[in-house]
Every structure is written in C-alpha cells, then in structure tokens.
Amino acid sequence: MSILFVGSELFPYVKTGGLGDVMAALPRAIRALGADVRLLVPAFPSIRSGVDVLGEAAVLPELMGGGPARILRANAPELPLYLLDQPAFFDRPGGPYGHPGDLARRFAALAWAAAHLGRMGDADGWRPDVLHGHDWQTGLMPAYVAYGDGPRPATVMTIHNIAFQGRFPPSMLSELWLPRHALTPEGVEFHGDICFLKAGLKLADRLTTVSPTYAREIQQAGGHGLEGLLTHRNDSLRGIINGVDRDIWNPAKDPNLVSRYDLKHPARRMPNRPDFQRRMGLHEDPEAPIFAAVSRLDPLKGLDLVLDNVDHLVSKGAQLAVLGTGDPHAEGAFRQAAQRHPGRVGVFLRYDEAMAHHAFAAADVFLVPSRQEPCGLTQLYAQAYGALPLVRRTGGLADTVVGASPETLADGTATGFMFDTASGWALGEAINMALALFQDPSAWRQVQRRGMLTEFGWEGPARAYLDLYATIPAKGV
Ligand code: ADP
Ligand code: GLC
C-alpha cells in the first residue's frame, strides 16, 4: 500500500507543537510495517536546507496565484519526501503560519499539489493509494480530489486540533481554484465562509483524531461548531492515540541531558535537577518539588489555572518552571510571577527544544491543565522521563494518565494526578495531592516507575492507521 502524508510541519525542521512530532514519527512507524509512506510538506527554508533534494517530481506552471511551483523529491532520514517548492509562498522567513495575507492560498496550494500527486503521480510513476491530510492546512485536499478529474485516491483527514479550522471569506472561492458548486453545505461552505477543515471532514473517506476521548468530545460540546457534521460521520471517525518517538524522547540516550538515566539507574536522574534549576534561574534547592510546564501559551492549554496557583505553590515550598510562548498576556503574567518570586518561579518565554528535554528530566510534577487536549504529547514525554504528569481529565490526557487515588495507588496503576473542573481551585487540590505524595518517597517512586514502564510506542497506532486505510473501498476513475 502506498500513502502520501500531507501537512505543514515536520520535526526537526519545522515545528510549532505536537503536529511536527507526529508528522516525523508516524509515517516512519507505518513504513516500518512495510507500507510505502511518503510525505509532502512545503519547501520551507529550514526543511530545504536540512534534507537531500534529489530532483523534480512535477512542474506546475502556476499554482493558486503564487506563480510557478515545483514538487521536488527529497530524502529525510528513513523518510522519502516531496517538497512543494513555490518561492512566493514558502521561501521566506516568518514561520509556517506567518504572512496571514496569503495563508488561504498558500495552504490551498499545498492541498492542490497533494491532490495532483494523488491523481497524476510523480515523474517516476509513483502514485499513492491513500492521501492522508493533517489539520485544516490540508482540508481542501479531499475537495480538490472530489471536484477534479482523473483517478481518485482514497482520502483520510486527521484532526489534531479542531479549534483551528481555516475559515476564509466566500469571495475567495475562485482564487482557491474551487468550482462555484463547492460553496454549499455539502462542500466547503460553513456558516457562509469557506472552511478548510470542514471541507476535509465532509469530503474525506475516513476521519481520525488523536485520541478516543477527543473523538467523543468533538461530537459533543467540544466540536467548535463541527459536532453535528462529526456525529453524522461517526461511522467514519476513529480516535487513535499518538505515540512517543523513542529515538528522540528517551532519557537513556538523550544527548541534551547532563546525566542520562533509565529505570535501572534512577539515581542518575538527580544531576539533571540542579542543572535545570540553574538554567531556569531557580534556587538550587535539592528538597523543593519542581513543578514544570512546557506549552504553547494558548487559552485552551489552561495555563491561567497555573497562574492562579503560583502563590499557592510557592507557599508550599515548591518551585515552578514554565517554558512557553504565545499569548502576550499570559507571557506578561508569568514574567511578573517570576519577578514576584525570584528563585522560586522561573520562566523561559521562548521556544527551545533542548530546554524542553531538560524540563522533562528534572521536573517532579509536569503540569498539563488543558481545557481541551486532542492528544497531548508532553504528558507522555513526562512519563517516559520520570516526571509525574498532573493533567485535567480531557481528551488524550484522560486516555494516557491514570490519576492517583486510594485505589490506583493501592493496585499500582497510578501514573500521575488528575482533576476534573477547569478551575484554579480544582488544580490547587490536585497540586495538594501531588505535594502529599511527594512526602512519601516509596509511593512516589512506584508511580514514577509505572509511568516509565508504560510504552506509548508508535507501532500500535501505526497498525491502527493501516487497518483504517484497508477499510476504504477502492474507487474508480
Ligand atoms: P500542542 O501540539 O497542542 O502544542 P502537544 O503536547 O501535542 O501540544 O505537543 C507540544 C510539543 O511542543 C511537545 O513536543 C513540546 O515539548 C513542544 N513545546 C511546546 N512549547 C515548547 C517550547 N516553548 N519550547 C520547546 N518545546 C515546546
Ligand atoms: C495538536 C494537539 C495536541 C496533539 C498534537 C499532535 O497540536 O493540540 O493535543 O498532541 O496535535 O497530534
């Protein structure tokens, strides 16, 4: 079976969140099971300079009003790539989602190029059986397949975050190379707009999202307006949990750490603490429990609940370390918290991959208080690194953490802490529970051990995707 993944991020070249991690790890995991997966991404400068470009796969004289484009063949380690090389759209600074003026045409171009490869194949005659798009940036791909001529590959859309939908004015229809009849509820129209994600969810053969619980939530109150459509398509929707790439997120061989460790050598985790405290401007206090968060600062991530608990944490003798960027208001509030509690609260308001690794290896408690969390990867990385996740019961967090309770502590299944209501008070209660368990080192170690033993590998999810592809009946021309 041949599959073309399509998306806007690819670790380590372009990453703003978990999508980048998944786009790097999942296709490789499916390849390891024998399927021919390749990946189409925009030729952003950081990707282009990081991979080996092999030659031209297709030439497109003009694409989406952005001038001439080419699809290049390239190779990343263990992953064949296609790069959409269209200088006007992609060869410039500003990150994948900068330049809002041409956001719609830019990602329509990516979706169109994917549909083109799906229909026509590349210069060597390779043509995918399945086009698999990720998030709103690729939502028009099933539309271009549905409205175009020629062979029709199967289409799959994965929702990594339903809050981002790609909505644009209906006047852009022809600019986006969509036929007039596409602007209906059966096509790309959503409340009068063109909605990229809605188009994909309406027109793709199969839909997935990144956890079973989120698959249920988006058919109910968590659907950001798309719940009706998703309920209607319930039979075609699957929730498949993400995994951890053990080549990257593994404390036994992580080159970022000052001291590598594993379950057999837990004491070797300790030197990472003072190192991280120094990096974050925290006192090198060997006793203080370190609470950490590594996150986009977005309202859905619930970091405001952490802000509500800063004084509480400090009054209990804990330290707080926050690595995050995003909402300027939240950044300002964390900066102030650090000024208020020098040495007890440390903030790093940047995106820094190495610092994230340091945080997982040093934290005692890893905070993920999200209001919504489709899957979440940081609570998985935390478990792999022996930091106990403290999460809200939502989406993939509910599916991947077993909250400590008298029962789960007694039967040894607990892997972290969980709270229900999205309030500062409820988070505070969970923090108290974590602080209480911290006083009992042997109970703490048992929870830590259980988390480190949990596999969260990519092989199971990769099989689930292959099974899903196999359920799509072949289509004619
Ligand atoms: P989301 O994709 O919604 O941001 P995930 O938990 O799936 O959430 O993935 C977040 C990814 O981004 C993780 O790999 C995490 O380590 C990383 N990350 C988030 N913020 C930062 C930051 N400021 N610096 C470094 N890595 C970050
Ligand atoms: C999104 C979600 C996150 C998920 C990631 C990868 O960014 O917000 O929960 O882990 O995609 O699927």
Side-chain angles (χ1 to χ4, degrees):
M1 179 175 280
S2 56
I3 302 129
L4 183 68
F5 267 53
V6 190
S8 55
E9 299 190 18
L10 174 62
F11 175 84
Y13 315 105
V14 174
K15 167 176 164 182
T16 69
L19 176 65
D21 288 355
V22 174
M23 293 300 286
L26 175 57
R28 287 182 171 98
I30 300 178
R31 284 186 74 78
L33 297 176
D36 184 2
V37 186
R38 305 181 185 190
L39 178 59
L40 171 68
V41 285
F44 293 121
S46 54
I47 299 188
R48 203 177 167 144
S49 60
V51 303
D52 299 324
V53 175
L54 307 175
E56 257 172 21
V59 176
L60 309 167
E62 148 61 28
L63 183 59
M64 230 45 80
R70 296 181 306 166
I71 300 174
L72 303 174
R73 279 293 315 269
N75 265 342
E78 295 159 59
L79 187 60
L81 296 180
Y82 293 95
L83 305 181
L84 178 56
D85 176 32
Q86 192 175 22
F89 283 159
F90 301 117
D91 191 8
R92 53 190 179 175
Y97 314 121
H99 307 282
D102 58 35
L103 203 57
R105 286 189 298 133
R106 193 176 346 148
F107 288 114
L110 178 67
W112 197 94
H116 178 79
L117 272 179
R119 281 198 304 258
M120 314 302 284
D122 73 4
D124 297 328
W126 186 83
R127 201 162 67 77
D129 304 312
V130 180
L131 290 175
H132 186 161
H134 296 263
D135 268 354
W136 75 265
Q137 294 86 355
T138 61
L140 289 187
M141 181 178 72
Y144 294 128
V145 170
Y147 303 131
D149 300 325
R152 297 244 227 124
T155 51
V156 176
M157 278 301 301
T158 293
I159 305 165
H160 293 266
N161 194 332
I162 204 162
F164 300 113
Q165 301 185 347
R167 280 174 75 156
F168 301 98
S171 55
M172 293 192 76
L173 200 68
S174 62
E175 253 177 283
L176 298 177
W177 294 12
L178 289 164
R180 201 174 310 168
H181 63 268
L183 196 66
T184 66
E186 295 310 307
V188 306
E189 189 265 349
F190 186 55
H191 296 292
D193 287 338
I194 298 168
C195 178
F196 282 29
L197 183 63
K198 184 259 167 164
L201 301 185
K202 185 79 193 174
L203 298 167
D205 295 304
R206 292 290 182 276
L207 313 177
T208 77
T209 189
V210 284
S211 70
T213 295
Y214 194 63
R216 284 195 299 279
E217 290 171 352
I218 56 178
Q219 297 178 55
Q220 300 160 3
H224 293 257
L226 290 165
E227 49 280 335
L229 165 55
L230 289 167
T231 306
H232 187 68
R233 296 220 57 195
N234 173 279
D235 287 348
S236 306
L237 170 66
R238 291 267 300 277
I240 303 173
I241 205 87
N242 290 328
V244 173
D245 185 341
R246 290 287 180 169
D247 288 334
I248 310 289
W249 298 102
N250 183 346
K253 55 180 194 185
D254 188 331
N256 298 288
L257 307 188
V258 292
S259 176
R260 285 173 271 284
Y261 58 96
D262 56 25
L263 259 177
K264 288 202 202 88
H265 308 94
R268 293 186 191 164
R269 187 172 193 265
M270 293 313 285
N272 293 296
R273 271 178 68 100
D275 174 64
F276 180 63
Q277 285 169 319
R278 257 194 313 276
R279 288 173 194 272
M280 293 299 294
L282 296 169
H283 296 317
E284 285 179 43
D285 178 346
E287 307 296 330
I290 302 176
F291 286 67
V294 175
S295 181
R296 291 183 294 113
L297 300 180
D298 171 297
L300 287 178
K301 293 287 183 186
L303 272 306
D304 52 312
L305 310 183
V306 175
L307 281 166
D308 290 344
N309 277 283
V310 168
D311 296 344
H312 176 61
L313 279 166
V314 171
S315 74
K316 298 277 183 184
Q319 295 185 338
L320 174 65
V322 176
L323 170 61
T325 53
D327 175 26
H329 180 76
E331 288 193 4
F334 276 115
R335 202 174 283 121
Q336 276 176 18
Q339 280 160 4
R340 223 171 45 243
H341 300 291
R344 311 297 305 180
V345 175
V347 300
F348 207 75
L349 302 172
R350 258 177 274 169
Y351 189 94
D352 188 314
E353 198 69 29
M355 192 64 113
H357 287 252
H358 293 301
F360 292 115
D364 297 298
V365 181
F366 197 87
L367 297 165
V368 196
S370 308
R371 292 198 157 74
Q372 284 196 327
E373 194 60 74
C375 177
L377 294 171
T378 58
Q379 82 282 9
L380 307 182
Y381 301 158
Q383 288 177 67
Y385 279 69
L388 273 50
L390 190 169
V391 306
R392 197 171 91 75
R393 193 189 309 277
T394 185
L397 302 174
D399 294 339
T400 56
V401 175
V402 180
S405 68
E407 296 75 35
T408 60
L409 287 172
D411 68 15
T413 53
T415 58
F417 308 97
M418 197 165 313
F419 67 105
D420 286 279
T421 313
S423 73
W425 180 83
L427 172 59
E429 290 290 292
I431 286 172
N432 290 343
M433 192 172 186
L435 289 167
L437 195 74
F438 194 71
Q439 300 308 319
D440 182 348
S442 84
W444 186 272
R445 269 197 302 276
Q446 184 192 304
V447 178
Q448 184 183 45
R449 196 180 150 72
R450 183 73 184 208
M452 289 179 81
L453 278 170
T454 314
E455 266 301 320
F456 296 119
W458 267 113
E459 190 186 330
R463 280 190 200 287
Y465 282 101
L466 276 179
D467 290 348
L468 178 91
Y469 302 143
T471 66
I472 308 174
K475 279 176 282 197
V477 173

